[in-house]
Amino acid sequence: MSAAASSSQGGAEGGTHPPGEEEQGESSAYYECNICLDTAKDPVVSMCGHLFCWPCLHQWLETRPNRQMCPVCKAGIGKDKVVPIYGRGCTKPQDPREKMPPRPHGQRPEPENAGGIFPGFGFGDGGFHMSFGIGAFPFGMFASTFNFNDGRPGPPPPASPQHAEEQFLSKFFIWVAVLFIFWLLIA
Amino acid sequence: MTSMEKRLQKELQALTKDPPAGVIVNTESVSQNMSEWIVDLYGAPGSLYDGEKFQLSFKFSPRYPFDSPQVMFIGPNIPVHPHVYSNGHICLSILTDDWSPALSVTSVCLSIVSMLSSCQEKKRPPDNAIYVKTCSKNPKKTRWFYHDDTV
């Protein structure tokens, strides 16, 4: 209370008083970060006018990468939609957003199953990945059977010992596959 | 002091200095453990809960305020309300999906008082019996569906 009273007295002289204890009162609350509630460090302001420390806002944007909303008013927000603030006392004006650049999302390791059979399908939802993988499993097997000749040497001439050997091997593996599928069915 | 403790300290200071009507933080519980608060809540005058006293438990993870606090009713008096289960769990979107780091203990308390005040008829959620039997101890582990905005 006394701090506020002396502040209003000092204000009558045209605001020439040095920033001292009076400034620590209610007026400094205007410059508090909406996340850490401390005086904003590396301040940035959103298009909707809300003030944050850049490290605080950056951490929040990383926490919810697919729902980038202003923590205060839920307006759209993003790295390129905030304005850095440079006060006069700031000796080396550097864009706070450059100090801590958000890591590009492509460089972060993907969750375990993301590389699966069809790496192009980034649906993002874990449940979907799992069911899709199981559904696609038999196709993967057939695909390898049908693509047998791709980029490989042609079959050896008939009646050669190699031919007989390959015939035996292919029959053997077909039976292994049949047994495997049978086992899958009864298991 | 971690950023979480620093922020909680500021919230505690503001809440004890200038508490909103019907919200009283139990400073004894807080002084023992900064990451677990107990807040006394009084039903708003004119509402169905006028004069009733409730207790809310807040548990903060080290990632607070980026992570929402775990909030539930505790103690002998759990409000009978369509969004409050008899074990104290609260179905309120700002406690999970719609959490924002600009929210605070005070704003969560006010939201809950307001949720109680807009109630027209005191009754438990329709799935109370099965939920209370099957749910986790931590309400944040429940997959909540927020479908009813009327109460």
Side-chain angles (χ1 to χ4, degrees), chain A residues 39-68:
Chain A
T39 305
K41 222 186 281 171
D42 291 334
V44 294
V45 68
S46 63
M47 293 296 194
C48 43
H50 295 114
L51 183 72
F52 305 95
C53 306
W54 172 243
C56 291
L57 183 63
H58 176 257
Q59 195 176 343
W60 174 242
L61 295 179
E62 287 281 289
T63 309
R64 296 257 172 109
N66 43 6
R67 286 178 76 190
Q68 307 230 315

Side-chain angles (χ1 to χ4, degrees), chain A residues 141-172:
Chain A
M141 268 183 73
F142 289 128
S144 69
T145 315
F146 292 137
N147 296 341
F148 205 72
N149 286 329
D150 281 2
R152 295 169 208 230
S160 71
Q162 274 175 329
H163 178 75
E165 207 172 17
E166 287 209 350
Q167 285 290 318
F168 170 74
L169 272 180
S170 87
K171 271 181 191 159
F172 175 74

Side-chain angles (χ1 to χ4, degrees), chain B residues 5-117:
Chain B
E5 285 168 336
K6 217 169 162 182
R7 166 153 165 164
L8 284 175
Q9 200 74 54
K10 279 175 176 285
E11 282 194 45
L12 183 62
Q13 227 172 5
L15 191 52
T16 42
K17 199 179 123 203
D18 186 22
V23 178
I24 295 170
V25 63
N26 184 326
T27 42
E28 256 179 62
S29 75
V30 181
S31 62
Q32 284 167 13
N33 184 357
M34 198 66 195
S35 64
E36 291 192 28
W37 292 26
I38 291 174
V39 179
D40 291 341
L41 213 63
Y42 292 87
S47 74
L48 292 181
Y49 305 89
D50 192 348
E52 282 189 71
K53 182 189 171 186
F54 309 105
Q55 271 194 321
L56 277 176
S57 137
F58 282 77
K59 288 180 185 166
F60 305 93
S61 83
R63 282 186 34 75
Y64 182 80
F66 299 100
D67 196 14
S68 63
Q70 183 190 321
V71 185
M72 54 191 280
F73 281 103
I74 54 167
N77 195 16
I78 307 283
V80 178
H81 183 278
H83 295 171
V84 181
Y85 290 88
S86 56
N87 61 355
H89 289 198
I90 308 163
C91 181
L92 184 63
S93 66
I94 59 163
L95 298 180
T96 53
D97 295 359
D98 290 341
W99 170 255
S100 140
L103 293 171
S104 61
V105 174
T106 313
S107 60
V108 167
C109 288
L110 288 176
S111 291
I112 292 175
V113 170
S114 144
M115 181 186 89
L116 294 180
S117 300

Side-chain angles (χ1 to χ4, degrees), chain A:
Chain A
M1 267 297 141
S2 63
S6 66
S7 168
S8 61
Q9 284 165 5
E13 295 173 6
T16 51
H17 59 281
E21 278 178 23
E22 307 98 286
E23 298 271 306
Q24 299 296 315
E26 305 240 321
S27 67
S28 71
Y30 291 119
Y31 303 103
E32 279 173 5
C33 165
N34 279 290
I35 293 179
C36 67
L37 313 183
D38 222 333
T39 305
K41 222 186 281 171
D42 291 334
V44 294
V45 68
S46 63
M47 293 296 194
C48 43
H50 295 114
L51 183 72
F52 305 95
C53 306
W54 172 243
C56 291
L57 183 63
H58 176 257
Q59 195 176 343
W60 174 242
L61 295 179
E62 287 281 289
T63 309
R64 296 257 172 109
N66 43 6
R67 286 178 76 190
Q68 307 230 315
M69 292 191 301
C70 171
V72 180
C73 70
K74 298 188 175 178
I77 201 170
K79 179 187 180 264
D80 45 1
K81 288 186 193 123
V82 294
V83 180
I85 295 176
Y86 307 125
R88 198 176 82 88
C90 178
T91 47
K92 205 174 71 180
Q94 187 198 3
D95 190 334
R97 292 172 295 175
E98 282 162 15
K99 283 188 196 166
M100 195 192 294
R103 265 175 293 170
H105 291 254
Q107 289 180 18
R108 292 164 61 204
E110 294 290 330
E112 278 170 39
N113 279 333
I117 300 169
F118 300 107
F121 284 74
F123 280 97
D125 191 293
F128 186 84
H129 265 296
M130 202 167 76
S131 58
F132 192 82
I134 290 167
F137 173 66
F139 293 104
M141 268 183 73
F142 289 128
S144 69
T145 315
F146 292 137
N147 296 341
F148 205 72
N149 286 329
D150 281 2
R152 295 169 208 230
S160 71
Q162 274 175 329
H163 178 75
E165 207 172 17
E166 287 209 350
Q167 285 290 318
F168 170 74
L169 272 180
S170 87
K171 271 181 191 159
F172 175 74
F173 280 119
I174 281 175
W175 277 110
V176 169
V178 166
L179 278 175
F180 182 67
I181 288 170
F182 180 68
W183 174 75
L184 273 184
L185 285 176
I186 60 162

